[in-house]
Amino acid sequence: MTAYPPEPWNLAGQAYLSLWRVPVSELPELPEGVEPVVAGGRAQVFTAWIDYQEPGQLQYHELLATVAVRGKRLSSSITDIWVDSEVSLAGGRALWGIPKDLAALDFTHGRTFTASAATQDDWIATAAFTARPSLPVKMPAAFDVVQMLDGRLKRSPVRAKARPRPAAADWRLNESGPFGFLAGQRPVLSAHLRDFTLVFGG
């Protein structure tokens, strides 16, 4: 069994986020009892490339899709997620019911951030983010991640701070892959969450 830190995890790094509006009928499956937030017949899906860096407890790469869901406060449920760390995979599944899988993730930071993700079977997605000017303000956020763990819904609190910068994002998606439900669509907004700090779990 792979050893992993107890919760909460204190993490830091860079995140590149896009927001998509997806018809409810095309959403990936959510845990039983979890309902998406719907406006105009569409749900809100967030995709993110995340580079966890020092001084966080763990350093690894991640690609995920999460759906905004109903809750007492801002909440989401992760439907698809890949990491390149056995420790992160084991801890995410055991502590919070997050359905992590392994993938090869290649990140290049620079004037334009580029990333690609592939499993042993096929490629998942590639993306390029070019950040726009913004004010150097660090903004807080708090939300819950809602997953199924041991047959019950578990709400895990997340507290974060980041310096958000609007960005232009160019995604390429494998239409026959797990992100195929986003194929043919464009994100409605994208951002670089610069120098974030994150406390995940209770």
Side-chain angles (χ1 to χ4, degrees), residues 102-113:
L102 290 177
L105 294 158
D106 180 41
F107 287 15
T108 301
H109 296 280
R111 197 179 192 96
T112 294
F113 166 79

Side-chain angles (χ1 to χ4, degrees), residues 67-120:
V67 180
V69 299
R70 295 184 180 277
K72 292 182 179 179
R73 65 173 183 171
L74 185 64
S75 300
S76 73
S77 186
I78 297 170
T79 59
D80 299 278
I81 181 169
W82 299 269
V83 296
D84 57 7
S85 162
E86 294 272 6
V87 173
S88 174
L89 183 148
R93 289 188 171 201
L95 294 172
W96 306 298
I98 298 173
K100 295 186 178 184
D101 286 313
L102 290 177
L105 294 158
D106 180 41
F107 287 15
T108 301
H109 296 280
R111 197 179 192 96
T112 294
F113 166 79
T114 59
S116 64
T119 65
Q120 290 183 341

Side-chain angles (χ1 to χ4, degrees), residues 20-151:
W20 313 70
R21 298 192 70 239
V22 178
V24 175
S25 61
E26 298 178 17
L27 284 179
E29 185 177 359
L30 292 169
E32 185 177 351
V34 174
E35 296 183 12
V37 175
V38 179
R42 292 178 178 262
Q44 282 53 245
V45 177
F46 296 87
T47 53
W49 304 85
I50 307 176
D51 188 355
Y52 293 103
Q53 304 170 338
E54 294 182 341
Q57 284 177 282
L58 299 175
Q59 292 81 53
Y60 62 97
H61 302 111
E62 185 171 84
L63 169 63
L64 65 85
T66 188
V67 180
V69 299
R70 295 184 180 277
K72 292 182 179 179
R73 65 173 183 171
L74 185 64
S75 300
S76 73
S77 186
I78 297 170
T79 59
D80 299 278
I81 181 169
W82 299 269
V83 296
D84 57 7
S85 162
E86 294 272 6
V87 173
S88 174
L89 183 148
R93 289 188 171 201
L95 294 172
W96 306 298
I98 298 173
K100 295 186 178 184
D101 286 313
L102 290 177
L105 294 158
D106 180 41
F107 287 15
T108 301
H109 296 280
R111 197 179 192 96
T112 294
F113 166 79
T114 59
S116 64
T119 65
Q120 290 183 341
D121 299 322
D122 210 346
W123 70 286
I124 302 166
T126 65
F129 285 72
T130 303
R132 305 304 191 199
S134 66
L135 296 175
V137 178
K138 198 157 193 175
M139 297 178 62
F143 57 95
D144 291 337
V145 172
V146 186
Q147 306 294 144
M148 190 67 72
L149 178 65
D150 298 329

Side-chain angles (χ1 to χ4, degrees), residues 1 53 89 100 125 152 154 174 177:
M1 181 176 176
Q53 304 170 338
L89 183 148
K100 295 186 178 184
R152 300 177 63 182
K154 180 176 177 64
N174 183 347

